Amino acid sequence: MNKKLVAALSGGAVLLMALSGCSGSDDSDSKVNDWAKKVCDQVQPQLTKIAGANTSIQQATSDSSKPAEVQQTDSAAFQSISEAYKSLGAAVSSAGAPPGKEGETTQQEAVKELNATSTAYAGLKTKVDALDVKDQAKFADGLKDVADELDKLSNSGDKALRQLQSGDVGKAMAKQPGCQKPSATGGSAAPTAAGSES
C-alpha cells in the first residue's frame, strides 16, 4: 500500500546523512577540530533518532498493516524526525560559526535549512494525522500525497549543509565519531525499488 512512502523516506535520510558523509584527512587545525567536535557530539543522538523513526515506518509499511496503525506510526516518526532536525539546528547554532572564510554565513544558512526541514516534517505529521483511516482508498491516496511531499523534501536544498561540510570543516567533522552514520539496526538498507512504486 505505501511502498512509495518507504522509498521516499529512505531518500529523506539522505539530507541528514549529508552531515555524516565526507572522507577523512590529516587536518590538524585544532580550532576546526574543536568546532567539529562541538557539533558532532550533539549530532549522533539525532542521527540515531532519525534512523529509528525511518525503521519504524518501514516496519509499519506492509500490505497487511491497518491504516490506523500506519497513521499512528508515521505520525510519531515524523514528530521524532522533526524534533531531531530542530535539535541539529540548535547544535549547529550553539557551536558558533565554524572557522574559516564565510563561516558565519555558512552556519546561519545551515541552521535555517535544518529548521526548515524540521518544520516540513512537522507539516507531514499534521497531514498524516488528518488522513481518513476509515476509508482505505482515501487513506492510500492521502498517503501517496505525503510520500510525494517526502520525496520533494528529500531532494530539496541541502546546499547549506554541503557548504558546511566542505573544506577543512567537513574533513574535521568526518573524523568525529558523532558525525558518522549510525549502523542501521536490523541492517536494512534503502529499498532497491526506491521511487519506482506508486
Side-chain angles (χ1 to χ4, degrees):
M1 169 176 61
N2 46 1
K3 289 186 183 121
K4 184 167 184 177
L5 184 67
V6 173
L9 197 82
S10 44
V14 170
L15 171 70
L16 184 73
M17 292 319 164
L19 261 179
S20 54
C22 303
S23 56
S25 117
D26 300 334
D27 192 323
S28 59
D29 184 343
S30 65
K31 265 191 207 157
V32 173
N33 287 330
D34 289 350
W35 185 89
K37 182 168 176 25
K38 228 187 278 184
V39 172
C40 293
D41 283 352
Q42 297 178 67
V43 164
Q44 191 62 43
Q46 307 314 324
L47 289 178
T48 305
K49 197 174 185 178
I50 290 170
N54 285 339
T55 302
S56 72
I57 288 182
Q58 288 176 15
Q59 286 169 347
T61 305
S62 74
D63 291 332
S64 62
S65 299
K66 291 179 174 57
E69 290 166 12
V70 174
Q71 181 185 48
Q72 200 177 359
T73 302
D74 290 2
S75 176
F78 289 147
Q79 175 71 36
S80 186
I81 294 170
S82 173
E83 288 166 4
Y85 274 103
K86 198 172 181 59
S87 297
L88 287 167
V92 174
S93 180
S94 70
K101 203 170 59 170
E102 294 184 28
E104 202 169 317
T105 308
T106 302
Q107 177 208 20
Q108 287 166 356
E109 289 299 314
V111 169
K112 198 163 99 183
E113 209 167 79
L114 288 162
N115 287 337
T117 303
S118 169
T119 303
Y121 274 102
L124 287 175
K125 177 197 181 322
T126 304
K127 276 206 151 135
V128 166
D129 288 344
L131 295 178
D132 182 356
V133 293
K134 291 181 180 72
D135 183 329
Q136 184 113 14
K138 266 192 198 164
F139 181 75
D141 284 348
L143 214 50
K144 184 185 172 306
D145 291 344
V146 168
D148 289 344
E149 276 193 46
L150 196 54
D151 213 19
K152 278 185 210 142
L153 181 59
S154 69
N155 292 322
S156 72
D158 55 351
K159 236 184 352 215
L161 285 178
R162 287 181 204 280
Q163 180 66 37
L164 184 68
Q165 301 167 86
S166 61
D168 293 342
V169 171
K171 290 172 190 162
M173 286 174 84
K175 287 190 282 186
Q176 295 295 328
C179 274
Q180 286 159 12
K181 190 174 175 177
S183 58
T185 47
S188 62
T192 46
S196 64
E197 196 108 14
S198 53

